[in-house]
């Protein structure tokens, strides 16, 4: 199973890739695969499903990432998500946080490939949409070549053929989740080896990819094997303007989307949510890095952060922030012209 959309995807990121973030990212790229934040199976079963799972159909393709280790609960949660029209159900086997470990899911499941396989089989039998795994290459004292391939083989036997591999070990003891995103070294070669030895599988690389251009380069074949996709994480969130280059660079489709075009596309979504009572900061916070590297970026961030929390704040805040950037750019251009 390979979606063309998986050539470039935006990673599931806790507290970041919520419904509003995904709508914003979709205004920049029509083609990339987007992922939800991780939602635990128990939260879906016992919580407010509409709040947890609702998303806008125009934002697809979107994958739901679940967390858990109970096959029955995961199957029930996957079934509960069906009315929300997700294109994929993904299991988190990569998060290293203490809270996730205490619930016996996330990266600690790298030590239990048979259990992961049982979870994947249960979900696959419960829903008609593809089920996928997002994992690490190993944890703690595991040997990556053994840990990754053992997990993959177990899941393949359960009918899974799509793996998103964060190409780092996770150190569950001694490192924080933040440190686990930087300190363990990346091993892209091991992920490429997986694709080379199992060419029938869909293999997507995640971890440390600094830009859309770097993602494009990573998709080039190496030793006769080409990765099926690359997943961007923090880069996509902190410098989202880069997503505007995804469609032409990665999918060879259309033209790059400018920041101004993306804002015009996102604006009706924001207006509709404001009418529903969603506070402006819930949407504006995902846009803080949009002007990264441009004159006026600091004013953009300040206006969106400070003015958006004022009572009754609406889209005029967005207009004011954009005007500040355009004014700063005009002043910078004038200085360059006078210097010449």
């Amino acid at each position: 199973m390979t979606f063309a959309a998986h050539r470039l995807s935006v990673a599931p990121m806790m507290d970041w890739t919520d419904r509003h973030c995904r709508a914003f990212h979709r205004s920049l790229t029509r083609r990339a695969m987007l992922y939800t934040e991780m939602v635990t199976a128990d939260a879906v079963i016992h919580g407010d499903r509409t709040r947890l799972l609702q998303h806008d159909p125009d934002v697809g393709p979107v994958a739901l990432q679940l967390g858990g280790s109970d096959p029955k609960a995961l199957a029930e949660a996957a079934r509960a998500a069906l009315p929300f029209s997700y294109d994929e159900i993904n299991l988190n086997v990569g998060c290293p946080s203490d809270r996730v470990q205490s619930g016996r899911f996330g990266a600690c499941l790298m030590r239990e490939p048979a259990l992961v396989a049982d979870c994947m089989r249960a979900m696959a039998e419960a829903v008609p949409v593809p089920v996928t795994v997002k994992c690490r290459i190993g944890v703690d004292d595991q040997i990556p070549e053994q840990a990754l391939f053992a997990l993959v083989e177990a899941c393949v036997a359960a009918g899974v053929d799509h793996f998103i591999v964060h190409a780092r070990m996770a150190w569950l003891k001694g490192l924080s989740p933040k440190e686990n995103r930087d300190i363990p070294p990346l091993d892209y070669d091991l992920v490429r080896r997986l694709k080379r030895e199992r060419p029938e599988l869909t293999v997507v690389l995640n971890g440390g990819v600094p830009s859309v251009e770097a993602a494009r380069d990573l998709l080039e074949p190496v030793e006769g094997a080409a990765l099926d996709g690359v997943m961007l994480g923090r880069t996509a969130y902190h410098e989202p303007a880069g997503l505007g280059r995804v469609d032409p660079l990665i999918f060879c489709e259309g033209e790059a989307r400018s920041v101004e075009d993306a804002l015009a596309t996102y604006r009706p979504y924001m207006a509709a949510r404001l009418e529903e009572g969603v506070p402006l900061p819930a949407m504006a916070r995902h846009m803080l890095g949009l002007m990264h590297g441009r004159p006026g970026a600091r004013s953009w961030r300040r206006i969106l952060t400070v003015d958006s929390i004022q009572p009754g704040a609406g889209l005029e805040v967005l207009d004011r922030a954009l005007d500040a950037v355009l004014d700063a750019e005009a002043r910078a251009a004038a200085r360059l012209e006078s210097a010449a």
Side-chain angles (χ1 to χ4, degrees), residues 295-296 299 323-338:
S299 295
D323 286 344
V325 173
L326 297 178
D327 288 346
E329 289 184 329
R331 291 194 300 272
R335 287 194 296 271
L336 287 175
E337 185 176 347
S338 63

Side-chain angles (χ1 to χ4, degrees), residues 8-24:
L8 195 291
S9 53
V10 178
M13 292 176 278
M14 289 297 293
D15 299 320
W16 289 358
T17 52
D18 62 16
R19 174 191 178 192
H20 310 307
C21 177
R22 297 193 302 272
F24 170 51

Side-chain angles (χ1 to χ4, degrees), residues 80-165:
L82 284 178
F84 297 91
S85 301
Y86 285 100
D87 298 278
E88 170 192 326
I89 308 294
N90 177 264
L91 182 65
N92 184 320
V93 189
C95 181
S97 77
D98 291 340
R99 181 167 60 88
V100 166
Q101 290 182 58
S102 67
R104 197 188 174 200
F105 56 93
C108 65
L109 287 176
M110 291 296 300
R111 295 188 179 280
E112 301 186 73
L115 175 58
V116 175
D118 288 343
C119 292
M120 299 309 297
R121 184 180 294 107
M123 289 194 295
E125 292 174 353
V127 297
V129 299
V131 294
T132 67
V133 174
K134 185 174 188 296
C135 64
R136 292 281 184 137
I137 59 174
V139 296
D140 295 337
D141 57 352
Q142 288 184 314
I143 299 172
E145 294 86 347
Q146 296 176 1
L148 176 60
F149 279 74
L151 181 79
V152 168
E153 293 302 325
C155 290
V156 167
V160 179
D161 64 3
H162 187 128
F163 298 87
I164 303 155
V165 185

